[in-house]
Amino acid sequence: DQQVKQNSPSLSVQEGRISILNCDYTNSMFDYFLWYKKYPAEGPTFLISISSIKDKNEDGRFTVFLNKSAKHLSLHIVPSQPGDSAVYFCAASALGGSNYKLTFGKGTLLTVNP
Amino acid sequence: DTGVSQNPRHKITKRGQNVTFRCDPISEHNRLYWYRQTLGQGPEFLTYFQNEAQLEKSRLLSDRFSAERPKGSFSTLEIQRTEQGDSAMYLCASSLPLLGRYGYTFGSGTRLTVV
């Protein structure tokens, strides 16, 4: 049972345009959502997070939107740059005793074309 | 030290051999995690340490796997009698208690290939 789902294995966008990466979840106990970026042969790097009590968080070119009623979040990258080409993972942590554990989606490969 | 360090970066071993990986977390982080990532999948939780105490082990961690964190500093992950299905990227991460807000810091991983 996959609690965090990234249904698009890949996404291709032109440099300068917006990239929108989507993530759906099933567990209502998730209280924080995080996005990670991963280059080949490297570990994932933390990008941005959002608390379940908020609907938007922005950091430079990266904005995460959360729709709790739809159990959906998205990461917007504007403007997209070739260096953004990587695999993006959505992750979530739950309230309670397992609040140290992150549950990851399968990732979306973003390719930004010059 | 500004990051999580993992050694070795790559390990090729024959089926049935034992392997050990090491992780050095960020010194201020008392929480340490091991995850495994296979092709096309996201990282999957294996185990969690708070200081030297191992507080959770995933059911993915069979009896052939053991992890330690002596003195709450570095950690080792040992796989005994390796099988081809153990081939994966093994990721170590560390964090502060405010996990949700700041997330984990991952190391670069150890790529294990069992032949």
Side-chain angles (χ1 to χ4, degrees), chain B residues 9-102:
Chain B
R9 290 293 304 273
H10 304 275
K11 179 71 177 179
I12 300 174
T13 190
K14 291 183 178 179
R15 189 175 51 186
Q17 297 294 304
N18 299 342
V19 295
T20 300
F21 311 140
R22 178 180 170 121
C23 171
D24 289 272
I26 293 173
S27 55
E28 299 82 22
H29 291 178
N30 66 339
R31 295 183 171 193
L32 185 145
Y33 316 82
W34 286 96
Y35 276 72
R36 181 173 71 185
Q37 186 180 11
T38 54
L39 196 62
Q41 302 294 319
E44 295 174 295
F45 173 81
L46 291 179
T47 191
Y48 160 60
F49 289 86
Q50 185 166 311
N51 300 311
E52 66 276 9
Q54 188 175 21
L55 298 185
E56 184 176 344
K57 289 174 61 173
S58 163
R59 62 179 182 277
L60 293 175
L61 222 60
S62 74
D63 292 345
R64 298 183 296 105
F65 288 72
S66 63
E68 294 182 343
R69 191 183 182 196
K71 302 179 183 177
S73 56
F74 71 93
S75 176
T76 58
L77 178 68
E78 180 183 15
I79 309 174
Q80 296 183 328
R81 305 180 304 281
T82 52
E83 302 173 355
Q84 286 190 321
D86 297 332
S87 296
M89 173 75 85
Y90 289 84
L91 294 162
C92 176
S94 66
S95 78
L96 293 168
L98 290 174
L99 171 64
R101 189 168 178 184
Y102 301 111

Side-chain angles (χ1 to χ4, degrees), chain A residues 2 32-34 36 38 41-46 49-50 89 93 98-107, chain B residues 9 31 33 35 37 40-43 45 48 55-56 89 91 99-109:
Chain A
Q2 206 166 13
Y32 261 98
F33 302 90
L34 304 92
Y36 280 82
K38 185 180 184 302
E42 294 185 13
T45 303
F46 171 71
S49 66
I50 187 167
F89 291 103
S93 68
S98 295
N99 62 358
Y100 49 82
K101 190 187 304 184
L102 289 181
T103 302
F104 286 83
K106 291 187 176 183
Chain B
R9 290 293 304 273
R31 295 183 171 193
Y33 316 82
Y35 276 72
Q37 186 180 11
Q41 302 294 319
F45 173 81
Y48 160 60
L55 298 185
E56 184 176 344
M89 173 75 85
L91 294 162
L99 171 64
R101 189 168 178 184
Y102 301 111
Y104 297 157
T105 300
F106 279 95
S108 295

Side-chain angles (χ1 to χ4, degrees), chain A residues 35-37 45-49 59 62 75 77 88:
Chain A
W35 285 93
Y36 280 82
K37 173 181 178 180
T45 303
F46 171 71
L47 267 180
I48 190 169
S49 66
D59 183 2
F62 302 91
L75 175 68
I77 306 174
Y88 288 78

Side-chain angles (χ1 to χ4, degrees), chain A residues 55-114:
Chain A
D55 56 17
K56 177 182 175 181
N57 188 26
E58 191 172 354
D59 183 2
R61 297 186 298 114
F62 302 91
T63 303
V64 57
F65 295 92
L66 175 62
N67 182 334
K68 278 192 71 176
S69 61
K71 292 191 172 68
H72 176 83
L73 63 153
S74 60
L75 175 68
H76 293 213
I77 306 174
V78 183
S80 301
Q81 300 173 353
D84 296 329
S85 297
V87 177
Y88 288 78
F89 291 103
C90 174
S93 68
L95 286 167
S98 295
N99 62 358
Y100 49 82
K101 190 187 304 184
L102 289 181
T103 302
F104 286 83
K106 291 187 176 183
T108 296
L109 173 63
L110 173 65
T111 302
V112 180
N113 301 302

